[in-house]
């Protein structure tokens, strides 16, 4: 049992920043403490006296700095895949890598991705910083435990020879779980999208039909995003889906019809369980199919709304499943 094997669990996280993945690291720390374990968030890159993002203060009340955490036996340190080099800083503690984003790992630790993003300058950075030491073939036998946030991550880990794989996913903010939906309530014929994900293809779609109102979800407060999701009919996401992304789930829980591509986690039904007609590859030949799908969602919203019942039920159960997964992994 983990709670007998380890005196403490440290969850490593960059300081101050705010992303879905970083919120999840705080949620794990909170849940471990709720279950009676001794867990603390361990921040890296601390630049001021308040390293906990205000939105995460609900989960943690104190912290340690990574360089000061206890490196001794009977300590477990959970590190997400984008900081995997930190495991070499630990000589005595055991390490679990939490694979929140397969794609983000590849961007940092695989040379082909470094080249595709930054050309030879990226490769030079990759070599200078010793990232080659953390390629899949170098680390897959060194890691004690592997936690996977998505079935996409499980597939990646299995194909690359990793062992001791445990599914440990996440859940969305409670603000999106306490919504009483009424499909007959009037909504706007609007397509919402995240311009940080799949922008090139979203721009292509916009060029195909400029009569459609396209609204980017950017530079908005959480409440503004939620209000748009509650009053619009469609959310599209043709990004990479490096893990089980939160935006599509938040959109679905707010009553939007969700249309995605087939990249990353979106390819896996267990991660994004929506009917196939709402999943289309981001290819030019599919452009008008997607436009027609959007218009069908506009015209038959109340009918298509029911297509997402299973997705919404899955999302609504994720917090309960997360608790069960944490208990299974850490209290077995």
């Amino acid at each position: 049992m983990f709670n007998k094997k380890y005196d403490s669990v440290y969850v490593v996280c960059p300081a101050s920043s705010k992303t879905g993945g970083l919120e999840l690291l705080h949620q794990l720390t909170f849940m471990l403490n709720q279950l009676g374990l001794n867990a603390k968030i361990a921040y890296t890159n601390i630049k001021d006296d308040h390293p906990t993002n205000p939105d995460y203060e609900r989960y943690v009340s104190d912290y340690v700095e990574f360089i000061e955490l206890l490196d001794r036996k009977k300590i477990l340190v959970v590190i997400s895949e984008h900081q995997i080099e930190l495991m070499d800083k630990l000589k005595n503690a055991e390490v679990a890598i939490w694979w929140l984003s397969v794609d983000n790992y590849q961007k940092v630790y695989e040379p082909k991705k470094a080249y595709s993003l930054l050309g030879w300058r990226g490769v030079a950075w990759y070599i200078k910083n010793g990232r080659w030491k953390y390629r899949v073939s170098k680390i897959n036998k060194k890691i004690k435990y592997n936690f996977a946030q998505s079935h996409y991550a499980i597939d990646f880990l299995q194909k690359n020879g990793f062992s001791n794989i445990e599914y440990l996913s996440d859940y969305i903010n409670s603000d999106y779980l306490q919504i009483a939906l009424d499909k007959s309530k009037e909504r706007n014929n609007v397509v919402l999208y995240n311009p940080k994900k799949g922008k090139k293809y979203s721009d292509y779609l916009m060029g195909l039909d400029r009569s459609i109102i396209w609204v980017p979800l950017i530079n908005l407060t959480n409440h503004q995003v939620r209000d748009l999701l509650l009053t619009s009919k469609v959310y599209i996401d043709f990004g990479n889906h490096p893990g089980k992304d939160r935006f599509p789930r938040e959109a679905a829980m707010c009553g939007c019809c969700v249309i995605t591509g087939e990249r990353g986690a979106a390819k896996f039904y267990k991660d994004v369980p929506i009917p196939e007609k709402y999943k289309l590859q981001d290819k030019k030949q599919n452009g008008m199919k997607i436009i027609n799908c959007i218009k069908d969602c506009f015209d038959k919203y109340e009918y298509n709304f029911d297509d997402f019942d299973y997705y919404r039920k899955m999302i609504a159960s994720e917090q309960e499943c997360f608790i069960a997964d944490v208990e299974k992994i850490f209290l077995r």
Side-chain angles (χ1 to χ4, degrees), residues 316-329:
S317 70
E318 284 180 328
Q319 184 170 0
E320 184 178 337
C321 292
F322 178 76
I323 296 170
D325 289 339
V326 172
E327 289 178 334
K328 174 188 170 187
I329 292 170

Side-chain angles (χ1 to χ4, degrees), residues 196-245:
K196 295 181 180 180
K197 303 285 185 75
K199 182 180 185 301
K200 185 176 180 180
Y201 194 70
S202 296
D203 288 345
Y204 169 71
L205 292 175
M206 284 184 263
L208 291 178
D209 195 326
R210 298 192 181 279
S211 69
I212 294 175
I213 299 173
W214 309 81
V215 176
L217 298 175
I218 191 169
N219 297 328
L220 302 169
T221 66
N222 288 341
H223 289 296
Q224 288 173 326
V225 170
R226 187 170 176 269
D227 287 345
L228 280 170
L229 292 172
L230 284 168
T231 55
S232 303
K233 290 183 179 178
V234 177
Y235 171 80
I236 64 168
D237 194 327
F238 290 92
N240 288 341
H241 295 266
K244 198 169 66 172
D245 283 352

Side-chain angles (χ1 to χ4, degrees), residues 276-288:
E276 289 185 7
K277 70 177 184 178
Y278 300 105
K279 288 187 181 184
L280 293 159
Q281 291 184 354
D282 52 338
K283 295 181 178 180
K284 286 189 175 181
Q285 57 263 41
N286 286 335
M288 287 312 301

